[in-house]
Amino acid sequence: MLDVGSGVGAFLRLVDERGGEPHGIDASSSLIAFARSRLPGADLRVGEMEQLPWHDNAFDLVTGFNSFFFAND
C-alpha cells in the first residue's frame, strides 16, 4: 500500500502492524527521516506526488490523507 504525503508515517505504522507492505512518499526529507526511524523496513521516499517513482498499478491501495489538495496537477 502506498501513502502519498505520508509525513511521519502514522498511517503506515498501522499498515505495518497489520502485516501490510508500507510504502510512502513525502516532499519533506525531515518527515521521511523521522518515518524511517519508526518504520525501518518500509519503502519510504522523498519526492513529489505528481511524479511517483513506482510503476503504474504497483499497489492495491493508495491513500493520501490531507495531501492531494497540495498537488499542482
Side-chain angles (χ1 to χ4, degrees), residues 4-19:
V4 176
S6 57
V8 298
F11 181 70
L12 293 177
R13 200 161 149 186
L14 295 173
V15 170
D16 187 57
E17 290 171 354
R18 286 158 179 78

Side-chain angles (χ1 to χ4, degrees), residues 48-50 68-73:
E48 298 296 327
M49 69 179 86
E50 293 90 348
F68 292 127
F69 59 89
F70 288 110
N72 290 324
D73 182 14

Side-chain angles (χ1 to χ4, degrees), residues 8-11 22 24 32-33 39-40 47-48 53-56 65-67 72:
V8 298
F11 181 70
I32 288 293
L39 295 155
E48 298 296 327
W54 295 278
H55 296 290
D56 290 349
F65 301 101
N66 301 314
S67 62
N72 290 324

Side-chain angles (χ1 to χ4, degrees), residues 25 45-46 48 51-55:
I25 190 165
R45 304 182 191 193
V46 176
E48 298 296 327
Q51 298 175 346
L52 297 176
W54 295 278
H55 296 290

